[in-house]
């Protein structure tokens, strides 16, 4: 009896094994079969336009003023301006997947976030075209920075958000500019200074600092040390490049800006000749939905 039972079990096991092998190979063959649509219509990377538009925008705690509206007005605003790259500060509340979903609504498939466990005010990049992520800068900075290259170009993009307070380690210590100066030097040491043979740089974001060129000569009630360091590293504010500046009396601004400017887009010497347009965007939407007007630059991709 035992022998007959054993033989039956052996036959059942062999049949089961055969069935599993048939099922496995049939499934594998189906899953690995190329999709005919993919063969007939291979996916190609979209060609970059001759002129690239880049916007840098502090969106005030994750665009909290449009959150209840599912960000519909924000999406509509981004689509109306059509940036090829959008650099965000204060992307609060968005993880990688959530920002990808939001950015897809304005036509950007490529997203880089810079989430820090010790910070709720991350920076981010979204792009219509592929980005090569090169570095996420997080150590010894408040909100960090992202360093990326626009694929198939030599254009490096750095976005940052510097410490906003007048203090550093303790309220009332008056060391806010000292901390921002440290952050700027970490950014510079990790990017333009680290790669001196790379010539095309855009450095943007909320610097929480002012530029002496926006002020009349002999102004003494402002601290300019942070952005002096940026310009000493070889950067120039793209708005000053095109529109002049107050320090030397050449300012010719044909745009509105509500308060003192702390948001900037800087360009390296080599990229400045490619700049064809630069200005803040101050309109009905930005006046209401954030406390920072975004900055815009257009550059030739040639």
């Amino acid at each position: 009896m035992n022998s007959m039972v054993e033989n039956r079990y052996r036959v059942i096991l062999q049949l089961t094994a055969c069935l599993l092998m048939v099922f496995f190979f049939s499934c594998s063959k189906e899953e690995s079969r190329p999709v005919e649509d993919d063969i007939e219509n291979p996916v190609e990377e979209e060609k970059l336009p001759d002129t690239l538009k880049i916007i840098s925008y502090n969106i005030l705690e994750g665009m909290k003023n449009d959150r209840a509206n599912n960000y519909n007005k924000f999406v509509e605003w981004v689509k109306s301006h059509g940036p090829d790259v959008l650099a965000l500060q204060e992307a609060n509340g968005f993880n990688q997947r959530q920002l990808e979903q939001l950015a897809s609504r304005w036509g950007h498939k490529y997203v880089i976030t810079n989430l820090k466990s010790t910070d709720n005010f991350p920076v981010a990049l979204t792009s219509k075209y592929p980005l090569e992520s090169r570095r996420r800068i997080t150590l010894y900075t408040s909100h960090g920075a992202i360093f990326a290259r626009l694929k198939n170009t030599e254009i490096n993009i750095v976005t940052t958000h510097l410490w906003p307070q007048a203090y550093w380690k303790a309220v009332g210590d008056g060391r806010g500019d000292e901390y921002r100066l440290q952050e700027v030097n970490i950014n510079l040491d990790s990017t333009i200074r680290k790669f001196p043979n790379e010539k095309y740089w855009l450095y943007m974001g909320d610097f929480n600092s002012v530029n002496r060129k926006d002020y009349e000569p002999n102004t003494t009630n402002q601290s300019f040390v942070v952005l002096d360091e940026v310009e000493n590293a070889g950067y120039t504010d793209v708005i000053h490049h095109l529109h002049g500046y107050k320090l030397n009396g050449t300012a010719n601004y044909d745009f509105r800006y509500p308060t003192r400017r702390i948001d900037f887009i800087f360009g390296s010497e080599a990229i400045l000749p490619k700049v064809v347009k630069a200005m803040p965007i101050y309109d009905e939407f930005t006046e209401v939905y954030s406390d920072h007007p975004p900055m815009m630059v257009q550059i030739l991709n040639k």
Side-chain angles (χ1 to χ4, degrees):
M1 253 333 255
N2 291 339
S3 177
M4 290 178 64
V5 171
E6 289 177 0
N7 287 336
R8 285 177 183 174
Y9 279 127
R10 189 178 298 112
V11 171
I12 291 171
L13 289 172
Q14 289 173 345
L15 287 172
T16 302
C18 289
L19 289 171
L20 287 172
M21 290 179 66
V22 170
F23 178 78
F24 174 78
F25 283 113
S26 64
C27 289
S28 298
K29 184 180 289 186
E30 180 65 25
E31 289 176 356
S32 64
R33 181 177 62 83
V35 179
E36 291 185 5
D37 288 345
D38 290 342
I39 297 173
E40 295 174 1
N41 303 297
V43 176
E44 294 183 2
E45 288 184 357
E46 194 169 354
K47 184 179 178 182
L48 271 67
D50 291 338
T51 303
L52 292 164
K53 179 187 283 189
I54 300 164
I55 291 177
S56 176
Y57 194 8
N58 181 324
I59 59 172
L60 184 59
E61 299 179 20
M63 192 48 64
K64 67 177 182 179
N65 290 332
D66 198 32
R67 190 173 298 143
N69 191 41
N70 195 31
Y71 309 105
N72 289 339
K73 289 187 179 296
F74 180 43
V75 170
E76 180 182 346
W77 180 88
V78 176
K79 290 171 69 174
S80 72
H81 286 278
D84 298 297
V85 178
L86 181 62
L88 298 175
Q89 302 88 48
E90 296 196 19
N92 301 28
F94 291 99
N95 60 29
Q96 177 74 25
R97 179 61 178 161
Q98 290 167 331
L99 191 55
E100 286 174 354
Q101 291 174 338
L102 181 63
S104 69
R105 293 170 60 188
W106 58 68
H108 284 191
K109 298 185 293 184
Y110 305 95
V111 173
I112 304 175
T113 54
N114 192 33
L115 302 177
K116 294 176 59 180
S117 60
T118 57
D119 179 52
N120 295 322
F121 291 79
V123 297
L125 286 173
T126 79
S127 176
K128 184 177 180 181
Y129 306 100
L131 291 170
E132 298 174 344
S133 179
R134 303 188 66 184
R135 182 164 297 183
R136 290 172 171 85
I137 301 168
T138 58
L139 292 178
Y140 310 114
T141 61
S142 55
H143 309 314
I146 289 173
F147 166 29
R149 178 186 289 149
L150 198 56
K151 191 174 180 181
N152 299 324
T153 75
E154 296 180 331
I155 300 169
N156 291 308
I157 299 172
V158 186
T159 181
T160 195
H161 181 187
L162 303 186
W163 179 245
Q165 307 295 344
Y167 65 89
W168 179 2
K169 297 183 178 180
V171 175
D173 65 16
R175 299 178 62 192
D177 276 325
E178 185 180 339
Y179 188 12
R180 284 183 283 275
L181 189 60
Q182 171 184 289
E183 293 182 288
V184 155
N185 276 302
I186 289 171
N187 291 347
L188 296 172
D189 288 345
S190 301
T191 56
I192 194 170
R193 290 173 180 161
K194 187 176 180 66
F195 303 97
N197 294 327
E198 299 182 26
K199 303 301 182 184
Y200 301 103
W201 295 85
L202 291 170
Y203 182 28
M204 65 194 67
D206 176 1
F207 289 81
N208 280 306
S209 304
V210 293
N211 191 316
R212 69 171 64 248
K213 293 179 180 178
D214 281 337
Y215 292 81
E216 301 292 344
N218 302 318
T219 298
T220 59
N221 64 343
Q222 301 289 333
S223 172
F224 304 118
V225 295
V226 177
L227 297 190
D228 281 353
E229 188 74 8
V230 173
E231 298 215 334
N232 289 338
Y235 280 116
T236 298
D237 172 19
V238 293
I239 288 178
H240 292 158
H241 171 68
L242 287 187
H243 300 278
Y245 47 91
K246 288 185 179 180
L247 185 62
N248 68 355
T250 61
N252 181 21
Y253 298 161
D254 56 354
F255 48 74
R256 290 194 303 151
Y257 195 86
T259 58
R260 68 173 193 160
R261 190 156 62 102
I262 58 175
D263 299 84
F264 297 86
I265 298 178
F266 293 96
S268 60
E269 181 179 357
I271 210 169
L272 291 177
K274 296 177 178 289
V275 175
V276 294
K277 190 172 184 179
M279 60 184 294
I281 302 174
Y282 190 60
D283 54 27
E284 291 181 357
F285 175 84
T286 61
E287 185 176 6
V288 173
Y289 285 87
S290 179
D291 55 348
H292 291 255
M295 298 292 126
M296 183 276 292
V297 66
Q298 292 184 14
I299 61 172
L300 298 175
N301 177 35
K302 296 178 181 178

